[in-house]
Amino acid sequence: MTKASSKGGNLRDKLDGNELDLSLSDLNEVPVKELAALPKATVLDLSCNKLTTLPSDFCGLTHLVKLDLSKNKLQQLPADFGRLVNLQHLDLLNNRLVTLPVSFAQLKSLKWLDLKDNPLDPVLAKVAGDCLDEKQCKQCASKVLQHMKAVQADQERERQRRLEVEREAEKKREAKQRAKEAQEREVRKREKAEEKERRRKEYDALKAAKREQEKKPKKETNQATKSKSGSRPRKPPPRKHTRSWAVLKLLLLLLLCVAALELGFLWNWVLLDTTSF
C-alpha cells in the first residue's frame, strides 16, 4: 500500500457501488495502481486534497465516467489526458490551471465541465464561460471541446507546415548536393580530358623529335659531301679495279728493276771492254 493509499484508507472499503470517494483524504498523490484494480469505480471523487500533479499512468483509468478534481493545486493535466475517452463529467474547480492539453479534444464523451476559479488563459477563460449552473457547465464542456479541437487542428496544420518546410529544405539540400556532385563529376571529366590531351601532345612531340633525330644524320652527310665536291658525290671505284691497278704498278716496278739491272750489267761490260784495248 502506498503512502497515498494509506491516507485514503482501504479503497475497497470506500467503494460504494460504482462510486469511490477519496475527498478530504489529505492526498499528495493519486493511488493509481489501487484505482486500476477497481474497474467498477467509474465515479471518482478526489476533491479537497493536496494534489499538484497527476501521474501519466492516471490516464490509463479509462473506465472513469465521472471525475472530481476540484479544490486541489493542479497546475497542469497530463499531456495524454484525452485517453480518458469515457469521461462524461469533469470538475476542475479551484485549481491552478492556465491551459489544457491538446489531447483534451479527444474527450468526445464529455458533457459537463467546470473550470471556474482557475487562472486560465484569457482566450480559454472566455470560451469556458462562468459555469454557474448545470446548463452553463454543459455549454462549457461543448465550447471547450470545440475550442480544443480548433487548437489541435491549428497545431496539426502547423506541424504539417513545419514538416513541409523541412521536406522542402531537405529537397533543396538534396538538389544542392546533386548539383555539387554533378559539378564535381564535370570537373573530373574535364581534368581527365585535359590530362589525356596533354599526354597525346607529349606523345606527338616525342614522335616528332624522334623523326627529326632520324633525319638529321642523313642531312649532315649530304651537306658535307656537297661542300667538298661542289657537285654530285662520286661513287668510290669498285674494289676490283683498285686491286688490278696495284698489280699493274707492281709489274711496272719489277720491269724497271730488271731494266736497271740489265743497264748496270751492260755498263760494266762496256767498261771492261774499254780497258782491254
Side-chain angles (χ1 to χ4, degrees):
M1 187 75 66
T2 64
K3 180 180 179 181
S5 60
S6 63
K7 288 184 177 181
N10 191 319
L11 298 188
R12 291 188 182 276
D13 293 340
K14 293 179 177 292
L15 183 61
D16 183 9
N18 66 338
E19 297 183 9
L20 181 60
D21 187 358
L22 296 180
S23 62
L24 299 169
S25 299
D26 199 26
L27 294 176
N28 292 313
E29 59 184 41
V30 180
V32 177
K33 291 183 179 179
E34 288 76 3
L35 291 173
L38 299 173
K40 292 183 179 180
T42 59
V43 178
L44 177 61
D45 188 352
L46 290 169
S47 63
C48 302
N49 282 293
K50 299 178 181 180
L51 302 177
T52 57
T53 60
L54 297 178
S56 59
D57 55 352
F58 180 85
C59 302
L61 303 175
T62 55
H63 58 279
L64 293 178
V65 175
K66 183 176 180 180
L67 176 61
D68 190 348
L69 290 168
S70 62
K71 298 181 181 179
N72 277 283
K73 300 178 181 180
L74 296 173
Q75 298 180 9
Q76 62 182 9
L77 299 179
D80 55 350
F81 193 80
R83 290 174 58 194
L84 301 174
V85 291
N86 293 311
L87 199 61
Q88 298 179 16
H89 184 111
L90 177 60
D91 193 343
L92 293 170
L93 170 72
N94 194 10
N95 277 279
R96 299 177 182 178
L97 299 172
V98 176
T99 60
L100 297 175
V102 177
S103 66
F104 203 91
Q106 300 172 15
L107 300 177
K108 298 179 180 180
S109 300
L110 191 65
K111 305 298 182 183
W112 193 97
L113 175 63
D114 190 352
L115 287 170
K116 289 192 306 294
D117 299 330
N118 280 281
L120 296 175
D121 174 83
V123 175
L124 180 59
K126 183 177 180 180
V127 171
D130 295 328
C131 192
L132 298 176
D133 54 32
E134 185 77 11
K135 182 178 179 181
Q136 289 183 354
C137 289
K138 289 182 178 180
Q139 290 177 347
C140 175
S142 177
K143 291 180 179 180
V144 168
L145 282 178
Q146 291 179 1
H147 172 72
M148 296 310 299
K149 287 178 181 179
V151 171
Q152 186 180 48
D154 290 342
Q155 290 191 0
E156 179 63 21
R157 282 193 294 270
E158 179 62 20
R159 188 181 71 85
Q160 291 295 333
R161 187 192 67 80
R162 287 197 301 268
L163 288 176
E164 186 64 25
V165 170
E166 291 175 0
R167 283 195 291 266
E168 289 297 324
E170 182 64 23
K171 287 180 181 179
K172 289 181 180 180
R173 284 193 295 269
E174 291 176 355
K176 186 177 180 180
Q177 182 64 25
R178 287 195 297 269
K180 182 180 178 181
E181 291 174 355
Q183 185 178 8
E184 290 175 351
R185 286 195 299 269
E186 187 63 26
V187 170
R188 288 195 297 270
K189 183 178 179 181
R190 185 169 61 251
E191 289 176 349
K192 186 177 180 180
E194 291 174 353
E195 177 64 18
K196 184 176 181 179
E197 181 65 16
R198 184 186 65 79
R199 291 200 304 269
R200 187 187 65 77
K201 288 181 178 179
E202 289 180 353
Y203 176 78
D204 292 343
L206 288 173
K207 289 197 70 175
K210 186 176 180 181
R211 287 195 299 269
E212 188 67 23
Q213 189 68 24
E214 290 174 352
K215 292 178 181 179
K216 190 174 181 180
K218 295 180 181 179
K219 186 175 180 181
E220 290 178 352
T221 302
N222 293 338
Q223 289 178 351
T225 305
K226 287 181 180 180
S227 63
K228 288 182 179 180
S229 61
S231 61
R232 293 179 62 185
R234 296 180 180 179
K235 295 182 180 179
R239 291 178 61 125
K240 184 177 180 181
H241 294 167
T242 304
R243 190 178 296 111
S244 299
W245 179 249
V247 172
L248 182 58
K249 288 197 294 182
L250 182 59
L251 290 175
L252 289 175
L253 182 58
L254 290 174
L255 289 175
L256 287 175
C257 291
V258 171
L261 289 174
E262 289 181 354
L263 285 175
F265 177 77
L266 289 175
W267 178 254
N268 289 331
W269 184 78
V270 172
L271 289 177
L272 290 173
D273 187 49
T274 303
T275 55
S276 64
F277 287 107

